[in-house]
Amino acid sequence: MAQVLEFKLPDLGEGLTEAEIVRWLVQVGDVVAVDQPVVEVETAKAMVEVPCPYGGVVTARFGEEGAELPVGAPLLTVAVGEGAEGHRPAADPGTDGGAARAGEQPGAGERRSEGSGNVLVGYGTSEAPARRRRVRPQGRASGAAAGSGTAGSGTAGAGSSGAGVPGRANGRVRAAEPVDGPVPVISPLVRRLARENDLDLRELTGSGPDGLILRADVEYALRAAAAQGGRAVREAGPHPDGTVREQALAATAGAAATGSAGVAGSAVPPGDVRIPLKGVRGAVADKLARSRREIPDATCWVDADATELMRARAAMNAASGPKISLVALLARICTAALARFPELNSTVDTQAREIVRFDHVHLGFAAQTDRGLVVPVVRDAQARDAEALTSEFARLTEAARAGRLTPGELTGGTFTLNNYGVFGVDGSTPIVNHPEAAMLGVGRIVPKPWVHEGELAVRQVVQLSLTFDHRVCDGGTAGGFLRYVADCVEQPAVLLRTL
């Protein structure tokens, strides 16, 4: 007899707590093999194809494309073993019926299956987890039935079903009364959003698995409350059937049409567009805001004559072998400068009130992609020569543009190189990539008048800027670092002293 197993969203590593479904790679009824990718998800750091550790027939999918799921939420169910073909569902898997049938498998707790061994971070597949039948709380059904009566009967129905169960009154979904005990939230982003908006999470009923409160639940509740002129948030408590979402959106549209005043963001004037801060864009926004809040940064800059550096690169590329990129030469200069000024290759441990200096250089570099700004990291850049750096920069850049960077390739940097000259600008005051201590910015290299050997000449000039955390060093150290970088740009032979 076939056994229906539930595959949950695994821990994707690096402290990620949720992911957005970008594209389903399988349909209900498809036959999948062990370790076959079944869904493409986007985290705050990268796009990831998630493999399924079971082989069989897909019987249900949980979540539409664009939906956000927390780690541990069901992704899909798979019928494995003999007779799996008989588990092809006839109804839409997105309906409650499909989900219910997927949960009604016999003997799920009595049989075990070997896992694939294809393990994501924090997720083992040595044993197939037992699938337990979901039992719909009686209070939820009674609360829904009470909604068809009067307000008094709706309240009574909800109250009789026990605390913590949502009910309906006058056609509106009413969240459960606050109860003691842990709040069903696992995402720190959800907690922060609620805290910043003075929202009591105990007043909400989550639409996630087992009542888990998702970020969308908090956003819907805040939107509905603002659009209705500050009406109690508990009247906008999310419900799995989507009723509250429709009410919140309708209320927002009504407020915009009537021009009602209220909390900023409650109404969108005609022609304006609201774009959710999520995925890579949301992660970048959070990180930049945190950097501005926590790091007392300062910036210094200098113009440098890059003519000799460009000639040195041309000479390297004229010889046989791989071509050397300009960013690789700049990276090599950075690692040499950090060896002389290690204060800038560090981070601040605010809890311990200590500065942590690193004995390695994990060099991040800013890369603009269609999905937004990302900062891939070149591991142990101080141990790589110009050819190795060129190769690694090319590999990471291609992976970034294709959305294939792993979380490990986007974290752990100790210093960042930002070549904004590719955008045709001369200077900038970059924001430090938290929790690092410094970032070197490089502008475009253009012909400019320059005094060279006592005479005015046209030279290739570049502007260099260094933004640094003033907690790790004083201006003298930062100025010495930047001056050394400029000297290496103007006279690449300076590097020969440390190679």
Side-chain angles (χ1 to χ4, degrees), residues 82-403:
E82 296 181 0
E85 291 293 328
H87 282 258
R88 293 178 182 267
D92 183 357
T95 63
D96 291 339
R101 286 194 301 276
E104 295 177 357
Q105 73 284 7
E110 301 174 1
R111 301 184 60 184
R112 295 186 181 273
S113 174
E114 293 184 358
S116 68
N118 190 359
V119 183
L120 294 176
V121 178
Y123 180 78
T125 62
S126 59
E127 292 183 349
R131 173 67 189 250
R132 293 178 296 177
R133 178 178 300 180
R134 289 190 176 183
V135 180
R136 181 181 294 274
Q138 296 180 355
R140 178 169 295 179
S142 63
S148 61
T150 62
S153 63
T155 305
S160 63
S161 62
V165 180
R168 294 176 182 262
N170 289 334
R172 289 201 182 106
V173 176
R174 183 183 61 83
E177 294 296 331
V179 296
D180 294 332
V183 180
V185 179
I186 64 174
S187 171
L189 297 178
V190 173
R191 292 185 181 275
R192 184 179 64 186
L193 180 62
R195 182 172 62 252
E196 291 176 349
N197 290 275
D198 296 326
L199 175 64
D200 187 357
L201 289 172
R202 296 179 185 273
E203 295 182 342
L204 298 183
T205 300
S207 61
D210 299 323
L212 186 68
I213 298 176
L214 308 179
R215 182 168 62 183
D217 298 337
V218 176
E219 292 174 345
Y220 298 153
L222 293 174
R223 188 183 305 162
Q228 296 173 11
R231 186 171 298 178
V233 174
R234 66 181 60 191
E235 293 186 359
H239 193 275
D241 63 5
T243 305
V244 176
R245 178 174 184 175
E246 296 174 359
Q247 292 176 352
L249 294 177
T252 304
T258 58
S260 59
V263 181
S266 63
V268 181
D272 290 357
V273 178
R274 288 191 178 275
I275 302 174
L277 277 175
K278 61 181 182 178
V280 174
R281 184 71 262 166
V284 170
D286 292 340
K287 197 161 193 176
L288 295 180
R290 183 177 183 183
S291 178
R292 279 299 192 207
R293 286 195 308 268
E294 297 184 8
I295 297 179
D297 59 352
T299 302
C300 53
W301 56 89
V302 64
D303 290 339
D305 180 2
T307 304
E308 296 303 322
L309 179 66
M310 300 301 288
R311 288 176 178 172
R313 176 177 177 245
M316 293 179 187
N317 291 337
S320 60
K323 302 298 183 182
I324 304 300
S325 67
L326 178 61
V327 69
L329 294 179
L330 294 171
R332 190 65 190 85
I333 292 173
C334 276
T335 58
L338 289 173
R340 295 172 64 94
F341 300 92
E343 297 90 340
L344 294 169
N345 189 44
S346 62
T347 188
V348 176
D349 186 341
T350 55
Q351 293 185 346
R353 294 186 62 81
E354 295 176 343
I355 297 174
V356 181
R357 291 185 185 175
F358 303 106
D359 62 353
H360 55 270
V361 179
H362 291 342
L363 185 66
F365 65 98
Q368 190 69 37
T369 71
D370 293 338
R371 299 171 58 241
L373 177 68
V374 295
V375 184
V377 177
V378 177
R379 303 282 169 178
D380 296 314
Q382 82 286 350
R384 300 174 185 260
D385 58 20
E387 287 188 3
L389 286 170
T390 298
S391 176
E392 186 67 357
F393 278 127
R395 184 188 71 83
L396 291 173
T397 299
E398 177 60 27
R401 290 172 179 169

